[in-house]
Amino acid sequence: MFEQDFLGFINDNKLVDTTGRTLLAVSGGLDSTVMANLFSCVNLPFAIAHVNFGLRGTDSDEDARFVEQLAGQYGVPFHLTRFDTAQWAAEQGVSIQMAARDLRYQWFGSIRQQYSYSRVATAHHLNDVLETMLLNLTRGTGLAGLHGIAVRQEHAQVGTLIRPLLFAHRDQLVTYAQANGLTHREDRSNADDYYARNRIRHHVIPTLTGLNPGLWQTLPRTVERLRAAEQLMQLELTRSWRQLTQTEPDGTIRVPIRQLMELDEGVFRLTEWLRPFGFTPEQVRQIWATLEREPGGTFDSATYRIVRERQWLLLSLLKVTPLTGYKSDLQIIGSGAVISLGDCSVRVDVIERSAEFVPDAELSVAWLDADRLAEPLTLRIWQHGDRFRPLGLAGTKLVSDLLNDLKLEQRDRAQTLVLLSGHDIAWVVGRRIAHRFRVRPDTRRLVRLTQIQGSGPAERPPL
Amino acid sequence: MFEQDFLGFINDNKLVDTTGRTLLAVSGGLDSTVMANLFSCVNLPFAIAHVNFGLRGTDSDEDARFVEQLAGQYGVPFHLTRFDTAQWAAEQGVSIQMAARDLRYQWFGSIRQQYSYSRVATAHHLNDVLETMLLNLTRGTGLAGLHGIAVRQEHAQVGTLIRPLLFAHRDQLVTYAQANGLTHREDRSNADDYYARNRIRHHVIPTLTGLNPGLWQTLPRTVERLRAAEQLMQLELTRSWRQLTQTEPDGTIRVPIRQLMELDEGVFRLTEWLRPFGFTPEQVRQIWATLEREPGGTFDSATYRIVRERQWLLLSLLKVTPLTGYKSDLQIIGSGAVISLGDCSVRVDVIERSAEFVPDAELSVAWLDADRLAEPLTLRIWQHGDRFRPLGLAGTKLVSDLLNDLKLEQRDRAQTLVLLSGHDIAWVVGRRIAHRFRVRPDTRRLVRLTQIQGSGPAERPPL
């Protein structure tokens, strides 16, 4: 019965095709344990990945052992990694929760690529959806924060990400687990959110379902309507931005002020349009205020500059200071020079190659041949026309085509950085290195590039 | 201080211009009493209207006396009406709450017109906004139900409707009332909603504000973002509907199936497009399911029919049975013949004119000269090209222009009915009667037409 609902949901939403194996993210908690059992029951091919965040000592280690045994029972491939989440979070200056999410998603993406899994599945369900809606509503949100968790998503780091339990209520999972004698571990990994979600789960949602017991039936439709509404809103934003603006050969975008002011919801549009370029709603309010006054005024985001001329707003890339002399002496990893563009930074460490050199698998780190790199190193946002030869590819490729292939969201796409060696692209940051700067058998000195991320988007689904 | 916030909010949102008087809806409760005092303090010209819904016996009468005294203290015009809400609701087959809202809004509209007030103000505040969002979320909703209450709205029945307290939290109103020694009555008129709102007010919102005390600061921005998002979504819907469809000379609308199926979010679009024509989301799902099959299939809403042809969906008006013989005998009011179009009906009573005849002020009732009306009477949705001479106007006017002048929302506009006497428009139902059928000094027999409304839209702000 419940298996039928599960299969129906997967088919209705075309989540899984007949070929290829799905990589299940399994924490060992109730939700993901049920998900693994469902995949097994309906004979969909899968593998299991587990992340040990090292946040709860031996408890974390026992979770990992539990999931490994589970994979053994189902006879499916098992992937395990361990992060020192707390240390990484401290290094990057982000919250434990953000660190855990980023590490986890990056690792899923790399495992998925390495083993050619078709997609990654997480065990979010209907309660997560409502909790996320209410949590985001509490914190202040736009439309994206209200429809919350997508059934299917092309995720920048993970690739295709699916949520095959999004049709189910937590109670249904509990019932299913009991009926099938499934054991599971207590899942307490949503560190930062844990308190807030619990308050909402135990104090808010029971009142709301008391007022309308049909809430769980109407919720998927509400979510679907909000998701579709956002989609149409985005179409209108894209269409009108294209119609309104002109792009110069050097990449500068011209926004005609008179036409901008004649649009319905001009402030809201400008806020949404400029968000991927790093401008805050408060800056957009300031920019808007200048439109009715005399020309003049400059506004900088981390990566872009807006100049208010008489008839136009000019949107162009901020220039950055190039880094030179970084090859002059060897550095201990983590102590290297930092090259920054607003709140995005890359740390550059130069080290002697040792016999047992094994490069990190993380996408946020790149290893290059120091002696093949030219000076200076420069960091900038990618531009249309940028071209390089990605590692392992026979010929060159446009950066725009690479980003298309990765199916990045608009914001991630616009914010992608390239690191230049002289005039050549050495690294599309966090995505691909250039073939010519790769580490070869004869490489003696290594450059290790580490992306240090700024704060992510304000609205997101839970871990 | 609070007066400054109030004036700032009014100016920022251009709610009140310097000329004209605002009609304040005052129940006598805390919120509306504070609103009246604020208007008086900042010297904005106003009048006060109070509705006695007759739902709480002498309590209701004392509310009315309290508000009348208030108007006396401020020295402003006072308007009072009394409805037998319970009886009217029973007659119309609607809830008490819906009846109260409809009666109240209709009456405000008629008073506003009669005394040339510029606009009507209600005392909704931030708590109402959040309660409405959560209530609608609980019941299932689209985007419109989440941004909830508009700061300024062109309301079909009322005209310009403003909410000048929408910047304020209830606590601020309480503080202001205490500081200024304002007394008020206990407001318990939101009959049906009362329990649900109280549960949300006392059990849900405290938990949410406990998680983020800044909730009240971010809420207006959230509301504004959702409202603007809906506006852009509606623009996209309107633009693509115009681009997609063709309208025949007889008013039939052709929707090309192939192009429809190629659109992003086709099901959602079709649901929203067909909603004003009375089709339910479930019907649209059924219609969509036929698109991938062989031609054939007919779908009726209360007022429209969709036929699925090979390449087109054809959308046209349902025909109705005309009413004849209604003039043959005199009827007691309320017992007359009923002419129906789906769930919209008009009751037709013919009565002898008495010396003390005074027509009702309600827009849902029309009085005409029975002996000037031709048979049959027919009810249909208005069509492009419909033209008549509205009461008091020198020449004729297109119905479409009349509806434009009234600034109706898309749904109300599309659903507007006309009542025909033979081939002539006698009444644009609920809006205007035709000049030629008006009651004159020599009229002997009267026709009283009463609009009996179906259920209204599912999402709405509170009373």
Side-chain angles (χ1 to χ4, degrees), chain A residues 300-313:
Chain A
D300 288 349
S301 74
T303 46
Y304 278 83
R305 165 162 294 178
I306 284 179
V307 178
R308 193 277 207 224
E309 292 197 343
R310 180 160 296 280
Q311 297 181 3
W312 308 88
L313 289 178

Side-chain angles (χ1 to χ4, degrees), chain B residues 221-255:
Chain B
R221 233 172 309 151
T222 297
V223 168
E224 172 56 20
R225 286 170 72 181
L226 296 178
R227 190 202 54 73
E230 200 210 354
Q231 184 63 18
L232 293 198
M233 178 196 86
Q234 293 293 354
L235 283 173
E236 167 62 20
L237 282 173
T238 304
R239 192 191 58 76
S240 51
W241 177 247
R242 283 202 194 123
Q243 197 175 320
L244 182 71
T245 60
Q246 299 166 19
T247 305
E248 308 274 296
D250 73 349
T252 299
I253 296 172
R254 286 180 172 268
V255 185

Side-chain angles (χ1 to χ4, degrees), chain A residues 150-218:
Chain A
V151 176
R152 182 195 175 93
Q153 181 184 356
E154 294 306 323
H155 190 281
Q157 294 163 318
V158 174
T160 304
L161 183 58
I162 63 171
R163 275 81 181 226
L165 297 193
L166 220 51
F167 72 99
H169 186 276
R170 183 183 285 112
D171 291 350
Q172 295 176 283
L173 303 186
V174 172
T175 306
Y176 179 84
Q178 285 169 351
N180 290 272
L182 303 183
T183 56
H184 64 88
R185 303 272 305 163
E186 278 315 311
D187 191 359
R188 295 190 42 131
S189 57
N190 278 355
D192 283 12
D193 263 342
Y194 192 72
Y195 173 76
R197 282 190 181 267
N198 256 324
R199 296 282 301 169
I200 285 177
R201 189 174 301 163
H202 297 300
H203 295 273
V204 172
I205 292 178
T207 307
L208 299 184
T209 49
L211 293 175
N212 178 23
L215 190 157
W216 298 111
Q217 277 76 57
T218 56

Side-chain angles (χ1 to χ4, degrees), chain A residues 138 141 208 212 222 227 265, chain B residues 138 141 208 212 222 227 265:
Chain A
T138 304
T141 184
L208 299 184
N212 178 23
T222 297
R227 192 203 52 73
E265 310 297 342
Chain B
T138 305
T141 183
L208 299 183
N212 177 23
T222 297
R227 190 202 54 73
E265 309 297 342

Side-chain angles (χ1 to χ4, degrees), chain A residues 414-430:
Chain A
Q415 294 277 47
T416 298
L417 297 171
V418 291
L419 188 117
L420 303 179
S421 155
H423 294 289
D424 301 316
I425 292 177
W427 189 28
V428 176
V429 178

Side-chain angles (χ1 to χ4, degrees), chain A residues 359-375:
Chain A
D360 317 39
E362 290 166 38
L363 287 168
S364 61
V365 174
W367 291 91
L368 304 178
D369 184 326
D371 296 308
R372 283 190 165 82
L373 283 171
E375 296 203 339

